[in-house]
Amino acid sequence: MLEINNQYTFIKRQVQTEVLKAFFADGFEQKIDAIPFAIIPKERISSRCCIYKERAMVRYRIMAMMGVDIPSEDDELKSLGAFAASQKGRSLQGEPVLTTIPTACSACPKERYFVSAACRQCIARPCLTNCPKTCITFDQGQAEIDEECCIRCGKCMGVCPFGAIVHVPVPCESACPVDAVHKNEHGYVELDKEKCISCGKCAANCPFGAIVERSEMMEIALYLKEEVPTVALIAPSIEGQFPGTLSQISKALLEAGFSAVLEVAQGAETTSYHEAEELLQKKEFMTTSCCPAYTALVDKHLPQLSGHLSTALSPMAYTGQQARQKYPQAKNVFIGPCLAKRSEAAHLAEIDAVMTFSELAALFLAKDIDVREMEECEEEQKQSWTDCRQFALSGGVAACVNRRSDQKELRVHSVDGLDKKTVRVLSSWEKRPIAADLVEVMCCEGGCINGPGVVVKPQIARKFRQDRQ
Amino acid sequence: MVTQKIMVRICMGTACFVQGGADLLLYGDFLDSELQQRIEVEGVSCLGCCKEHQRGLRPPYVQIGEQLHAEVDQTKFILLIKEALDA
């Protein structure tokens, strides 16, 4: 996985922060076209071919931030100000959650193994002996892999005594658990909307930032600017993403303009009870249903598992219902680490918009809010749902269900992270059901604290959480 | 010989924390234990550096002794501490 602190993350956050700052000030539609120039000044040493392309990329990132689906809606002659006007008030909910910036794509060549100059031209040639297709040739002793017949098994790389054979993957394609990322006839990235489960792994792994989310940030910023009552529904994984305690994070959200804050751990308790009860009626294994990328996987790719999927709604959905009861006039904004939640929220009347922690970080920066300086709440009262904050961690969902189950010795199996391999394992369960009662499925390895929209590395999030395991 | 420990202040302002500063708080894992004994680390409120943002400099900021440093990542952190201790 791409290291979270990288130049792309920094520039993306800078773009979001500057756009929000301009939005909260006056004359946004007149000023927005100047932002790419302010972020990429003339004297900058470009990390792409030139500053002009960098500016164009900033423009596309701003369009994605406004929710534009770039391949289908790009109009190079249309100004950002005009996009801001036409996107305003447009409901963005639904697919595609992810969009691409074809001109940002580096058109990476097909995944390959290749022999580097470190080859010592040895006479043992274990690469050749161990190649199942015998497709290594030698030019004056120097090994070469025949691309045409190579099946990309990687055996040669493992046996080379000099470590001379390297694997060059295509990061977006190898990160996708369902083969929804491919290249068009010109070699640029394209997403297959029919296959995509909106997990966001491709976007998190592309080192060129060519796959981006269609954000709902500007819609949320509009609620805040126009002082529309807006409830922040904070995912259990928020603890540890910002300096300071949970109560300080809540205070910071109120400071940013939200009218109330609800913890989604509350809804997670309802999910846990529902799943504990449902388990009693299951003859075979039951899988959890809180991860929207996994439910999309079942829907689109593994319909044979649909009978095993819990019918419990997600914590976000239950908390959304609670928020509607408590604040019937308010907008509900889910704040989490997840991109797939956007796709789930599109089908839920109780959720009006979704934002990621990473976007929230930009909002705090734009509004100059320092979380750690917020007043701290006096001693927190333990609630019946406090333990459900563990929904953010692998193993945590199953633990919460287990605690609420009457069944003794619940057999739990955890699927910690979806990739091509785990998807194959899941698909084999139709013929050979797994010997477990409850299967917890997390699309992101380690749980939601490793989602595509997080701010800090999972190790750090864990360090700052009360419930660290 | 008793030497004075060097004060290391890691900025915990939101801007620093979300732009890589959080990584430095894992110093217990990535810094030599011998070096750790010679420094006193403190997470501090926003040092205010981001506000008087100079072009080209960006968070996270760290203050080692009296000296302020920008764009500190784990590798740079180790290097700066070694330098400060040798000085």
Side-chain angles (χ1 to χ4, degrees), chain A residues 61-355:
Chain A
R61 298 200 191 291
I62 296 174
M63 282 162 59
M65 211 182 147
M66 297 195 266
V68 177
D69 179 33
I70 294 163
S72 66
E73 300 172 337
D74 187 18
D75 175 354
E76 291 189 87
L77 298 180
K78 188 168 168 181
S79 68
L80 285 173
F83 270 115
S86 62
Q87 289 296 105
K88 195 171 171 181
R90 175 184 161 195
S91 173
L92 299 173
Q93 287 209 317
E95 292 183 17
V97 168
L98 295 164
T99 185
T100 57
I101 307 178
T103 38
C105 176
S106 156
C108 300
K110 205 171 152 196
E111 176 205 4
R112 63 179 184 142
Y113 286 85
F114 97 103
V115 186
S116 71
C119 170
R120 296 288 299 149
Q121 303 154 18
C122 71
I123 60 161
R125 297 181 176 177
C127 51
L128 177 67
T129 320
N130 289 280
C131 175
K133 294 282 171 188
T134 330
C135 66
I136 296 181
T137 57
F138 294 86
D139 181 5
Q140 296 178 12
Q142 168 84 24
E144 243 173 77
I145 297 169
D146 180 350
E147 294 276 326
E148 289 301 306
C149 79
C150 174
I151 55 165
R152 289 155 183 88
C153 67
K155 286 210 170 79
C156 55
M157 185 173 80
V159 296
C160 174
F162 299 104
I165 299 174
V166 289
H167 176 219
V168 189
V170 180
C172 55
E173 287 177 9
S174 57
C176 178
V178 292
D179 291 323
V181 187
H182 55 82
K183 301 294 169 62
N184 65 16
E185 70 269 30
H186 307 295
Y188 296 110
V189 64
E190 252 176 23
L191 300 180
D192 184 335
K193 287 167 193 165
E194 301 301 315
K195 284 185 178 174
C196 178
I197 58 171
S198 308
C199 68
K201 287 181 196 274
C202 56
N205 279 284
C206 172
F208 289 90
I211 305 169
V212 288
E213 34 182 316
R214 272 175 71 230
S215 173
E216 292 169 272
M217 224 176 167
M218 300 316 294
E219 194 178 338
I220 297 165
L222 188 67
Y223 300 157
L224 301 179
K225 191 177 177 181
E226 295 188 342
E227 295 179 20
V228 178
T230 305
V231 187
L233 283 69
I234 53 173
S237 47
I238 200 167
E239 195 182 10
Q241 296 295 318
F242 296 95
T245 60
L246 253 178
S247 70
Q248 286 175 311
I249 294 172
S250 297
K251 278 268 162 60
L253 283 162
L254 297 177
E255 182 85 14
F258 288 92
S259 42
V261 179
L262 280 184
E263 279 192 50
V264 173
Q266 293 187 40
E269 186 182 34
T270 316
T271 304
S272 306
Y273 274 121
H274 188 115
E275 291 188 350
E277 200 162 306
E278 199 177 1
L279 266 173
L280 296 172
Q281 288 129 39
K282 288 276 177 191
K283 288 191 185 74
E284 275 181 346
F285 68 92
M286 179 184 88
T287 72
T288 54
S289 61
C290 46
C291 173
Y294 169 63
T295 56
L297 174 75
V298 172
D299 260 8
K300 292 186 171 185
H301 301 275
L302 302 171
Q304 66 269 29
L305 287 184
S306 56
H308 295 279
L309 186 66
S310 165
T311 57
L313 298 183
S314 74
M316 171 176 82
Y318 287 125
T319 314
Q321 293 173 358
Q322 290 162 355
R324 275 282 188 272
Q325 272 181 0
K326 213 169 164 188
Y327 312 101
Q329 305 302 326
K331 297 281 186 189
N332 290 341
V333 174
F334 175 82
I335 303 177
C338 184
L339 303 190
K341 280 286 176 207
R342 262 192 197 124
S343 162
E344 183 196 342
H347 307 289
L348 295 174
E350 301 85 19
I351 302 294
D352 299 292
V354 172
M355 100 192 276

Side-chain angles (χ1 to χ4, degrees), chain A residues 436-455:
Chain A
D437 302 309
L438 179 65
V439 179
E440 179 198 272
V441 187
M442 293 277 192
C443 176
C444 299
E445 202 184 330
C448 309
I449 56 165
N450 195 22
V454 298
V455 176

